[in-house]
Amino acid sequence: MNFLTLLSLISLGLSFPLNHTLPTTSPKVDKFQPKVFVVTMFSLEEEHWLQNVYFANNFTLPGLSPLYPMVHCTTDFDVCHVTTGEGEINAANTMMALLLNPLFDYSETFWLINGIAGGHPQEISYGSVTIAKYAVQVALQYEMSYNDIMADHKNWTSGYWSYGSDDPLAYPENVYGTEVFELNEKLRDKALEVAKSVEDQFVEGSERNIGLRKLYPSPANKKPFVKGCDVLTSDTYFSAKTLDDYFYNLTSVLTNGSATYCSTAQEDNASLEAFIRLAKSGVARYDRVIVMRSISDYAQPPSNFTDPVYWFNEYDQGGIQASLDNLFTAGFAIVEDILNNWDNYTEIQADNYLGDIFGTLGGKMDFGKESYVIH
Protein backbone atom coordinates (compact mmCIF):
# COMPACT_ATOMS: atom_id res chain seq x y z
CA MET A 1 0.00 0.00 0.00
CA ASN A 2 1.57 3.30 -1.05
CA PHE A 3 1.69 6.62 0.76
CA LEU A 4 -1.13 8.31 -1.15
CA THR A 5 -3.43 5.31 -0.78
CA LEU A 6 -2.89 5.41 2.98
CA LEU A 7 -3.78 9.08 3.05
CA SER A 8 -6.98 8.34 1.15
CA LEU A 9 -7.94 5.63 3.64
CA ILE A 10 -7.28 7.95 6.54
CA SER A 11 -9.57 10.54 5.00
CA LEU A 12 -12.31 7.88 5.11
CA GLY A 13 -11.89 7.56 8.84
CA LEU A 14 -9.82 4.39 9.03
CA SER A 15 -7.24 4.25 11.81
CA PHE A 16 -3.93 2.48 12.17
CA PRO A 17 -1.55 1.71 15.03
CA LEU A 18 0.98 4.52 15.23
CA ASN A 19 3.87 2.88 17.06
CA HIS A 20 6.17 0.25 15.70
CA THR A 21 9.70 -0.23 17.03
CA LEU A 22 12.57 -1.11 14.74
CA PRO A 23 15.97 -2.32 15.93
CA THR A 24 18.89 0.02 15.27
CA THR A 25 21.66 -2.57 15.18
CA SER A 26 20.17 -5.74 13.68
CA PRO A 27 22.12 -6.90 10.60
CA LYS A 28 18.87 -8.31 9.20
CA VAL A 29 17.49 -4.80 8.58
CA ASP A 30 18.23 -3.50 5.09
CA LYS A 31 18.92 0.17 4.59
CA PHE A 32 15.80 2.26 4.12
CA GLN A 33 15.75 4.66 1.17
CA PRO A 34 13.36 7.57 1.82
CA LYS A 35 12.28 9.58 -1.17
CA VAL A 36 11.44 12.60 1.00
CA PHE A 37 12.56 13.45 4.53
CA VAL A 38 10.65 16.23 6.33
CA VAL A 39 12.56 18.16 9.01
CA THR A 40 10.74 20.24 11.61
CA MET A 41 12.27 22.01 14.58
CA PHE A 42 9.77 21.85 17.46
CA SER A 43 6.44 20.44 18.59
CA LEU A 44 4.06 22.89 16.93
CA GLU A 45 5.73 22.44 13.55
CA GLU A 46 5.56 18.65 13.72
CA GLU A 47 1.91 18.41 14.81
CA HIS A 48 0.32 18.66 11.36
CA TRP A 49 2.67 16.02 9.96
CA LEU A 50 2.11 13.57 12.80
CA GLN A 51 -1.64 14.10 12.84
CA ASN A 52 -2.33 14.08 9.10
CA VAL A 53 0.19 11.61 7.66
CA TYR A 54 0.13 7.93 8.57
CA PHE A 55 3.61 7.13 9.83
CA ALA A 56 3.47 3.38 10.44
CA ASN A 57 7.08 3.12 11.59
CA ASN A 58 8.10 5.14 14.65
CA PHE A 59 11.44 4.38 16.24
CA THR A 60 14.17 6.00 18.28
CA LEU A 61 17.65 6.68 16.97
CA PRO A 62 20.80 7.46 18.95
CA GLY A 63 21.95 11.07 18.89
CA LEU A 64 18.59 12.72 18.29
CA SER A 65 17.12 15.38 20.58
CA PRO A 66 16.09 14.15 24.06
CA LEU A 67 12.80 15.94 23.44
CA TYR A 68 12.32 14.44 19.96
CA PRO A 69 14.17 11.10 19.89
CA MET A 70 12.02 9.43 17.23
CA VAL A 71 12.01 9.18 13.47
CA HIS A 72 8.64 8.60 11.82
CA CYS A 73 8.27 6.86 8.44
CA THR A 74 5.42 5.70 6.24
CA THR A 75 4.80 2.00 5.66
CA ASP A 76 7.05 1.86 2.61
CA PHE A 77 9.61 4.31 4.07
CA ASP A 78 9.10 6.64 1.10
CA VAL A 79 8.42 9.56 3.46
CA CYS A 80 10.08 10.10 6.83
CA HIS A 81 10.02 12.87 9.42
CA VAL A 82 12.26 14.09 12.23
CA THR A 83 12.19 17.02 14.67
CA THR A 84 15.57 18.51 15.53
CA GLY A 85 14.89 20.64 18.60
CA GLU A 86 15.25 24.42 18.48
CA GLY A 87 18.45 26.40 18.00
CA GLU A 88 21.67 25.84 16.09
CA ILE A 89 23.24 23.29 18.46
CA ASN A 90 20.17 21.06 18.50
CA ALA A 91 19.72 21.25 14.73
CA ALA A 92 23.36 20.47 13.96
CA ASN A 93 23.55 17.52 16.33
CA THR A 94 20.26 15.99 15.25
CA MET A 95 21.01 16.27 11.56
CA MET A 96 24.52 14.89 11.91
CA ALA A 97 23.26 11.92 13.95
CA LEU A 98 20.47 11.28 11.49
CA LEU A 99 22.66 11.51 8.41
CA LEU A 100 25.25 9.17 9.88
CA ASN A 101 22.76 6.53 11.00
CA PRO A 102 23.48 3.25 9.17
CA LEU A 103 19.80 2.32 8.83
CA PHE A 104 19.30 4.78 5.98
CA ASP A 105 20.53 5.27 2.45
CA TYR A 106 20.10 8.98 1.60
CA SER A 107 21.73 8.88 -1.81
CA GLU A 108 18.45 9.77 -3.58
CA THR A 109 16.55 11.54 -0.79
CA PHE A 110 14.95 14.98 -1.09
CA TRP A 111 14.84 17.03 2.12
CA LEU A 112 12.18 19.52 3.16
CA ILE A 113 13.13 21.77 6.08
CA ASN A 114 9.69 22.91 7.18
CA GLY A 115 9.40 25.53 9.92
CA ILE A 116 8.05 28.89 11.02
CA ALA A 117 10.02 32.11 11.24
CA GLY A 118 9.92 35.80 11.87
CA GLY A 119 9.34 37.96 8.83
CA HIS A 120 10.82 41.21 7.53
CA PRO A 121 7.75 43.37 6.80
CA GLN A 122 9.38 45.09 3.83
CA GLU A 123 9.29 41.75 1.99
CA ILE A 124 6.59 39.43 3.34
CA SER A 125 3.30 39.19 5.23
CA TYR A 126 2.05 37.25 8.23
CA GLY A 127 1.12 33.63 7.37
CA SER A 128 3.02 33.69 4.07
CA VAL A 129 5.31 30.87 2.95
CA THR A 130 8.90 31.51 1.85
CA ILE A 131 11.37 29.21 0.09
CA ALA A 132 15.04 30.17 0.19
CA LYS A 133 17.95 30.10 -2.21
CA TYR A 134 20.33 31.49 0.43
CA ALA A 135 20.66 30.91 4.17
CA VAL A 136 22.76 33.56 5.94
CA GLN A 137 24.17 33.32 9.47
CA VAL A 138 24.12 36.89 10.78
CA ALA A 139 25.22 36.49 14.40
CA LEU A 140 28.88 35.61 13.71
CA GLN A 141 30.08 39.12 14.53
CA TYR A 142 31.62 41.26 17.22
CA GLU A 143 29.09 42.80 19.57
CA MET A 144 29.21 45.57 22.16
CA SER A 145 26.43 47.43 23.86
CA TYR A 146 25.44 50.30 21.61
CA ASN A 147 25.36 52.58 24.67
CA ASP A 148 29.08 51.95 25.18
CA ILE A 149 30.11 52.93 21.67
CA MET A 150 27.56 55.48 20.43
CA ALA A 151 29.57 58.51 21.61
CA ASP A 152 32.55 57.59 19.44
CA HIS A 153 30.64 55.94 16.58
CA LYS A 154 27.70 58.21 15.93
CA ASN A 155 27.15 56.85 12.41
CA TRP A 156 26.68 53.26 13.67
CA THR A 157 23.13 52.04 14.17
CA SER A 158 23.89 49.01 16.35
CA GLY A 159 26.64 47.43 18.41
CA TYR A 160 27.49 44.78 15.78
CA TRP A 161 30.35 44.77 13.31
CA SER A 162 32.05 42.16 11.14
CA TYR A 163 34.94 39.99 12.29
CA GLY A 164 38.32 41.42 11.39
CA SER A 165 36.89 44.82 10.42
CA ASP A 166 36.01 48.16 11.97
CA ASP A 167 32.85 48.72 9.92
CA PRO A 168 29.35 47.37 10.65
CA LEU A 169 28.68 46.69 6.98
CA ALA A 170 32.13 45.60 5.82
CA TYR A 171 32.60 42.08 4.48
CA PRO A 172 34.24 40.07 7.29
CA GLU A 173 37.94 39.37 7.03
CA ASN A 174 37.68 36.38 9.37
CA VAL A 175 35.14 33.64 8.57
CA TYR A 176 34.10 30.31 10.04
CA GLY A 177 32.62 28.88 6.85
CA THR A 178 28.98 28.73 7.89
CA GLU A 179 28.10 32.34 7.10
CA VAL A 180 26.38 31.69 3.74
CA PHE A 181 24.87 28.64 2.06
CA GLU A 182 23.47 28.63 -1.47
CA LEU A 183 20.88 26.03 -2.46
CA ASN A 184 19.68 24.50 -5.73
CA GLU A 185 17.83 27.33 -7.47
CA LYS A 186 16.03 25.07 -9.94
CA LEU A 187 14.70 22.87 -7.15
CA ARG A 188 13.75 26.00 -5.19
CA ASP A 189 11.84 27.32 -8.22
CA LYS A 190 10.02 24.01 -8.69
CA ALA A 191 9.03 24.02 -5.02
CA LEU A 192 7.79 27.60 -5.41
CA GLU A 193 5.66 26.56 -8.38
CA VAL A 194 4.02 23.79 -6.38
CA ALA A 195 3.52 25.93 -3.28
CA LYS A 196 1.91 28.69 -5.34
CA SER A 197 -0.53 26.15 -6.77
CA VAL A 198 -2.07 25.75 -3.30
CA GLU A 199 -1.84 29.41 -2.29
CA ASP A 200 -5.62 29.71 -2.62
CA GLN A 201 -5.92 27.17 0.23
CA PHE A 202 -4.01 29.37 2.67
CA VAL A 203 -5.87 30.63 5.71
CA GLU A 204 -5.73 34.29 6.73
CA GLY A 205 -5.79 33.46 10.43
CA SER A 206 -7.68 35.04 13.29
CA GLU A 207 -9.29 38.46 13.31
CA ARG A 208 -6.24 39.58 15.28
CA ASN A 209 -3.96 38.34 12.49
CA ILE A 210 -5.98 40.21 9.89
CA GLY A 211 -5.95 43.36 11.99
CA LEU A 212 -2.21 43.04 12.53
CA ARG A 213 -1.51 43.08 8.79
CA LYS A 214 -3.53 46.28 8.41
CA LEU A 215 -1.07 48.11 10.69
CA TYR A 216 1.65 47.81 8.02
CA PRO A 217 2.12 49.06 4.46
CA SER A 218 2.46 46.68 1.52
CA PRO A 219 3.50 43.87 1.30
CA ALA A 220 3.11 43.18 5.03
CA ASN A 221 -0.59 44.07 4.81
CA LYS A 222 -1.33 41.49 2.12
CA LYS A 223 -3.06 38.15 2.52
CA PRO A 224 -0.64 35.22 2.93
CA PHE A 225 1.27 34.43 -0.26
CA VAL A 226 4.26 32.41 -1.48
CA LYS A 227 7.61 34.05 -2.18
CA GLY A 228 11.11 33.00 -3.09
CA CYS A 229 13.36 34.92 -0.69
CA ASP A 230 16.01 34.15 1.84
CA VAL A 231 16.38 33.06 5.45
CA LEU A 232 18.61 34.30 8.27
CA THR A 233 19.98 32.11 11.05
CA SER A 234 20.68 33.45 14.53
CA ASP A 235 20.29 31.92 17.97
CA THR A 236 19.61 35.46 19.16
CA TYR A 237 15.89 36.15 18.81
CA PHE A 238 16.29 39.71 17.53
CA SER A 239 13.45 42.15 16.98
CA ALA A 240 12.65 45.83 16.32
CA LYS A 241 13.58 48.13 13.46
CA THR A 242 17.25 48.89 14.15
CA LEU A 243 18.49 45.30 14.25
CA ASP A 244 16.04 44.06 11.63
CA ASP A 245 17.14 46.68 9.12
CA TYR A 246 20.80 46.15 9.99
CA PHE A 247 20.57 42.40 9.32
CA TYR A 248 18.63 43.10 6.13
CA ASN A 249 21.55 45.16 4.84
CA LEU A 250 24.14 42.71 6.16
CA THR A 251 22.45 39.89 4.23
CA SER A 252 23.03 41.80 1.03
CA VAL A 253 26.66 42.48 1.96
CA LEU A 254 27.45 38.84 2.79
CA THR A 255 25.97 37.60 -0.51
CA ASN A 256 27.33 40.40 -2.71
CA GLY A 257 23.82 41.70 -3.25
CA SER A 258 22.32 38.35 -4.26
CA ALA A 259 20.15 37.47 -1.25
CA THR A 260 17.01 39.16 0.04
CA TYR A 261 16.23 38.56 3.70
CA CYS A 262 12.55 37.91 4.35
CA SER A 263 12.50 35.25 7.10
CA THR A 264 14.54 34.77 10.25
CA ALA A 265 14.96 31.50 12.15
CA GLN A 266 17.40 29.75 14.47
CA GLU A 267 18.45 26.52 12.76
CA ASP A 268 18.92 26.47 8.99
CA ASN A 269 22.64 27.20 8.62
CA ALA A 270 23.36 24.59 11.30
CA SER A 271 21.36 21.95 9.42
CA LEU A 272 22.92 22.92 6.11
CA GLU A 273 26.43 22.58 7.54
CA ALA A 274 25.63 18.95 8.37
CA PHE A 275 24.41 18.43 4.80
CA ILE A 276 27.55 20.04 3.35
CA ARG A 277 29.88 17.80 5.36
CA LEU A 278 28.02 14.61 4.53
CA ALA A 279 27.47 15.57 0.89
CA LYS A 280 31.24 15.94 0.61
CA SER A 281 31.48 12.26 1.60
CA GLY A 282 28.63 11.17 -0.68
CA VAL A 283 26.25 10.34 2.17
CA ALA A 284 23.51 12.82 1.21
CA ARG A 285 22.54 15.11 -1.66
CA TYR A 286 22.97 18.78 -0.84
CA ASP A 287 21.35 19.69 -4.15
CA ARG A 288 18.11 18.07 -2.94
CA VAL A 289 17.49 20.29 0.09
CA ILE A 290 14.49 22.66 0.21
CA VAL A 291 14.28 25.27 2.98
CA MET A 292 10.70 26.44 3.61
CA ARG A 293 9.73 28.92 6.30
CA SER A 294 6.30 30.41 6.99
CA ILE A 295 5.89 33.75 8.77
CA SER A 296 4.61 33.50 12.35
CA ASP A 297 5.40 37.07 13.43
CA TYR A 298 6.92 40.30 12.21
CA ALA A 299 10.51 41.03 13.16
CA GLN A 300 9.74 44.70 13.78
CA PRO A 301 6.65 46.59 14.98
CA PRO A 302 4.64 48.97 12.81
CA SER A 303 5.99 52.50 12.63
CA ASN A 304 3.46 53.95 15.08
CA PHE A 305 4.61 51.70 17.96
CA THR A 306 7.06 53.61 20.13
CA ASP A 307 7.79 50.81 22.61
CA PRO A 308 9.28 47.76 20.85
CA VAL A 309 9.58 45.89 24.16
CA TYR A 310 5.83 46.13 24.66
CA TRP A 311 5.34 45.03 21.06
CA PHE A 312 7.64 42.06 21.52
CA ASN A 313 6.46 40.87 24.93
CA GLU A 314 2.89 42.00 25.37
CA TYR A 315 1.18 42.84 22.08
CA ASP A 316 -1.04 40.00 20.93
CA GLN A 317 -0.09 39.29 17.32
CA GLY A 318 -2.87 36.72 17.10
CA GLY A 319 -1.07 33.44 17.60
CA ILE A 320 0.84 31.41 15.03
CA GLN A 321 -1.78 28.93 13.85
CA ALA A 322 -2.14 30.52 10.40
CA SER A 323 1.59 30.17 9.78
CA LEU A 324 1.53 26.53 10.90
CA ASP A 325 -1.51 25.70 8.77
CA ASN A 326 -0.07 27.31 5.63
CA LEU A 327 3.33 25.78 6.26
CA PHE A 328 1.84 22.31 6.19
CA THR A 329 -0.43 23.05 3.21
CA ALA A 330 2.52 24.10 1.07
CA GLY A 331 4.92 21.50 2.47
CA PHE A 332 2.54 18.60 1.98
CA ALA A 333 1.86 19.69 -1.60
CA ILE A 334 5.58 19.55 -2.35
CA VAL A 335 6.01 16.12 -0.75
CA GLU A 336 3.05 14.81 -2.71
CA ASP A 337 4.37 16.30 -5.96
CA ILE A 338 7.80 14.71 -5.47
CA LEU A 339 6.20 11.30 -4.94
CA ASN A 340 3.86 11.66 -7.92
CA ASN A 341 6.53 13.01 -10.27
CA TRP A 342 9.62 11.26 -8.99
CA ASP A 343 11.37 10.91 -12.35
CA ASN A 344 10.91 14.61 -13.12
CA TYR A 345 12.42 15.64 -9.80
CA THR A 346 15.42 13.35 -10.14
CA GLU A 347 16.24 15.10 -13.41
CA ILE A 348 16.48 18.55 -11.79
CA GLN A 349 20.11 19.59 -12.05
CA ALA A 350 21.38 22.79 -10.49
CA ASP A 351 23.11 25.28 -12.75
CA ASN A 352 23.94 27.76 -9.98
CA TYR A 353 26.68 27.51 -7.39
CA LEU A 354 25.92 25.02 -4.61
CA GLY A 355 27.47 25.18 -1.19
CA ASP A 356 29.19 27.30 1.40
CA ILE A 357 31.63 30.17 1.64
CA PHE A 358 34.61 27.76 1.45
CA GLY A 359 33.61 26.15 -1.85
CA THR A 360 33.46 22.78 -0.10
CA LEU A 361 31.54 21.07 -2.91
CA GLY A 362 33.44 22.76 -5.73
CA GLY A 363 32.18 25.17 -8.35
CA LYS A 364 32.55 28.92 -8.71
CA MET A 365 30.99 30.99 -5.92
CA ASP A 366 28.83 33.99 -6.77
CA PHE A 367 29.35 35.55 -3.33
CA GLY A 368 32.23 36.11 -0.94
CA LYS A 369 35.76 37.44 -1.38
CA GLU A 370 38.93 36.17 -2.97
CA SER A 371 40.55 35.45 0.37
CA TYR A 372 39.79 35.34 4.10
CA VAL A 373 41.59 34.83 7.36
CA ILE A 374 40.44 31.37 8.43
CA HIS A 375 40.96 30.24 12.00
Side-chain angles (χ1 to χ4, degrees), residues 229-260:
C229 49
D230 303 303
V231 63
L232 304 190
T233 295
S234 171
D235 274 333
T236 300
Y237 200 127
F238 66 84
S239 185
K241 181 175 175 57
T242 297
L243 281 181
D244 198 40
D245 288 348
Y246 170 68
F247 289 134
Y248 184 89
N249 292 327
L250 181 67
T251 299
S252 180
V253 170
L254 291 176
T255 60
N256 299 93
S258 298
T260 300

Coordinates of all heavy atoms in Angstrom, one line a residue, residues 229-260:
C229 N 12.5 33.9 -1.3 CA 13.4 34.9 -0.7 C 14.1 34.2 0.4 O 13.9 33.0 0.6 CB 12.6 36.1 -0.2 SG 11.1 35.7 0.8
D230 N 15.0 34.9 1.1 CA 16.0 34.1 1.8 C 15.9 34.2 3.4 O 15.2 35.1 3.9 CB 17.4 34.7 1.4 CG 17.5 34.5 -0.2 OD1 17.4 33.3 -0.6 OD2 17.6 35.5 -0.9
V231 N 16.6 33.3 4.0 CA 16.4 33.1 5.4 C 17.7 33.4 6.2 O 18.8 33.1 5.7 CB 16.0 31.6 5.7 CG1 17.0 30.6 5.3 CG2 15.6 31.4 7.2
L232 N 17.5 34.0 7.4 CA 18.6 34.3 8.3 C 18.6 33.3 9.4 O 17.6 32.8 9.8 CB 18.5 35.7 8.9 CG 18.4 36.9 7.9 CD1 18.5 38.2 8.7 CD2 19.4 36.8 6.8
T233 N 19.8 33.0 9.9 CA 20.0 32.1 11.1 C 20.7 32.9 12.2 O 21.7 33.5 11.9 CB 20.8 30.9 10.7 OG1 20.1 30.1 9.8 CG2 21.1 30.0 12.0
S234 N 20.1 32.9 13.3 CA 20.7 33.4 14.5 C 20.0 32.8 15.8 O 18.8 32.8 15.9 CB 20.5 35.0 14.6 OG 20.9 35.5 15.8
D235 N 20.8 32.4 16.7 CA 20.3 31.9 18.0 C 19.7 33.1 18.8 O 18.8 32.9 19.6 CB 21.4 31.2 18.8 CG 21.5 29.7 18.5 OD1 20.5 29.1 18.0 OD2 22.6 29.2 18.7
T236 N 20.2 34.3 18.5 CA 19.6 35.5 19.2 C 18.3 35.8 18.5 O 18.2 36.0 17.3 CB 20.6 36.7 19.0 OG1 21.8 36.4 19.7 CG2 19.9 37.9 19.7
Y237 N 17.2 35.9 19.3 CA 15.9 36.1 18.8 C 15.8 37.7 18.7 O 15.2 38.3 19.6 CB 14.9 35.6 19.8 CG 13.5 35.3 19.2 CD1 12.9 34.1 19.3 CD2 12.8 36.4 18.6 CE1 11.6 33.9 18.8 CE2 11.5 36.2 18.1 CZ 10.9 35.0 18.2 OH 9.6 34.8 17.7
F238 N 16.3 38.3 17.6 CA 16.3 39.7 17.5 C 14.9 40.2 17.1 O 14.2 39.6 16.4 CB 17.4 40.2 16.6 CG 17.2 39.8 15.2 CD1 16.5 40.5 14.3 CD2 17.9 38.6 14.7 CE1 16.3 40.2 13.0 CE2 17.7 38.3 13.3 CZ 16.9 39.0 12.5
S239 N 14.7 41.5 17.4 CA 13.4 42.1 17.0 C 13.6 43.7 17.0 O 14.6 44.2 17.6 CB 12.3 41.7 17.9 OG 11.1 42.3 17.4
A240 N 12.7 44.4 16.4 CA 12.6 45.8 16.3 C 13.4 46.4 15.1 O 14.3 45.7 14.6 CB 13.1 46.5 17.6
K241 N 13.2 47.6 14.7 CA 13.6 48.1 13.5 C 15.1 48.2 13.3 O 15.6 47.9 12.2 CB 13.0 49.5 13.3 CG 13.3 50.2 11.9 CD 12.6 51.5 11.7 CE 13.0 52.2 10.4 NZ 12.9 51.3 9.2
T242 N 15.8 48.7 14.3 CA 17.2 48.9 14.1 C 18.0 47.6 13.8 O 18.7 47.6 12.8 CB 17.8 49.5 15.4 OG1 17.2 50.7 15.7 CG2 19.3 49.6 15.3
L243 N 17.8 46.6 14.5 CA 18.5 45.3 14.2 C 17.9 44.6 13.0 O 18.7 44.1 12.2 CB 18.4 44.3 15.4 CG 19.3 44.6 16.6 CD1 19.1 43.6 17.7 CD2 20.8 44.6 16.2
D244 N 16.6 44.7 12.8 CA 16.0 44.1 11.6 C 16.6 44.7 10.3 O 16.9 44.0 9.4 CB 14.5 44.1 11.7 CG 13.8 43.2 10.8 OD1 14.3 42.0 10.7 OD2 12.8 43.5 10.2
D245 N 16.6 46.0 10.3 CA 17.1 46.7 9.1 C 18.6 46.4 9.0 O 19.1 46.3 7.8 CB 16.9 48.2 9.2 CG 15.4 48.5 9.0 OD1 14.6 47.6 8.6 OD2 15.0 49.7 9.3
Y246 N 19.4 46.4 10.1 CA 20.8 46.1 10.0 C 21.1 44.8 9.4 O 21.9 44.6 8.5 CB 21.4 46.2 11.4 CG 22.9 45.7 11.4 CD1 23.9 46.4 10.7 CD2 23.2 44.6 12.0 CE1 25.2 46.0 10.7 CE2 24.5 44.1 12.0 CZ 25.5 44.8 11.4 OH 26.8 44.4 11.3
F247 N 20.4 43.7 9.8 CA 20.6 42.4 9.3 C 20.1 42.3 7.9 O 20.6 41.5 7.1 CB 19.9 41.4 10.2 CG 20.6 41.2 11.5 CD1 19.9 41.2 12.7 CD2 22.0 41.1 11.6 CE1 20.5 41.0 13.9 CE2 22.6 40.9 12.8 CZ 21.9 40.9 14.0
Y248 N 19.1 43.1 7.5 CA 18.6 43.1 6.1 C 19.8 43.6 5.2 O 20.1 43.0 4.2 CB 17.4 44.0 6.0 CG 16.8 44.1 4.7 CD1 15.8 43.2 4.3 CD2 17.2 45.1 3.7 CE1 15.2 43.3 3.0 CE2 16.6 45.2 2.5 CZ 15.6 44.3 2.1 OH 15.0 44.3 0.9
N249 N 20.4 44.6 5.6 CA 21.6 45.2 4.8 C 22.8 44.2 4.9 O 23.4 44.0 3.9 CB 21.9 46.6 5.3 CG 20.9 47.6 5.1 OD1 20.2 47.5 4.1 ND2 20.7 48.5 6.0
L250 N 23.0 43.6 6.0 CA 24.1 42.7 6.2 C 24.0 41.5 5.3 O 24.9 41.0 4.7 CB 24.3 42.3 7.6 CG 25.5 41.3 7.9 CD1 26.8 42.0 7.7 CD2 25.4 40.8 9.3
T251 N 22.7 41.0 5.1 CA 22.5 39.9 4.2 C 22.9 40.2 2.8 O 23.5 39.4 2.1 CB 20.9 39.6 4.3 OG1 20.6 39.2 5.6 CG2 20.6 38.4 3.3
S252 N 22.6 41.4 2.4 CA 23.0 41.8 1.0 C 24.6 41.9 0.9 O 25.1 41.4 -0.1 CB 22.4 43.2 0.7 OG 22.8 43.6 -0.6
V253 N 25.2 42.4 2.0 CA 26.7 42.5 2.0 C 27.3 41.1 1.9 O 28.2 40.8 1.1 CB 27.2 43.2 3.2 CG1 28.7 43.1 3.4 CG2 26.7 44.7 3.2
L254 N 26.8 40.2 2.7 CA 27.4 38.8 2.8 C 27.2 38.0 1.5 O 28.0 37.0 1.3 CB 26.9 38.1 4.0 CG 27.3 38.6 5.4 CD1 26.6 37.8 6.5 CD2 28.8 38.6 5.5
T255 N 26.2 38.4 0.7 CA 26.0 37.6 -0.5 C 26.3 38.4 -1.7 O 25.8 38.1 -2.8 CB 24.5 37.1 -0.5 OG1 23.6 38.3 -0.5 CG2 24.2 36.2 0.6
N256 N 27.0 39.5 -1.6 CA 27.3 40.4 -2.7 C 26.1 40.9 -3.4 O 26.0 41.0 -4.7 CB 28.3 39.7 -3.7 CG 29.6 39.3 -3.0 OD1 29.8 38.2 -2.5 ND2 30.6 40.3 -3.0
G257 N 25.0 41.2 -2.7 CA 23.8 41.7 -3.2 C 22.9 40.7 -3.8 O 21.8 41.0 -4.4
S258 N 23.2 39.4 -3.6 CA 22.3 38.3 -4.3 C 21.1 37.9 -3.4 O 20.1 37.6 -4.0 CB 23.2 37.1 -4.5 OG 24.2 37.4 -5.4
A259 N 21.2 38.0 -2.1 CA 20.2 37.5 -1.3 C 19.3 38.6 -0.8 O 19.7 39.7 -0.6 CB 20.7 36.7 -0.1
T260 N 18.0 38.2 -0.5 CA 17.0 39.2 0.0 C 16.4 38.5 1.3 O 15.7 37.5 1.2 CB 15.9 39.5 -1.0 OG1 16.4 40.1 -2.1 CG2 14.8 40.4 -0.3

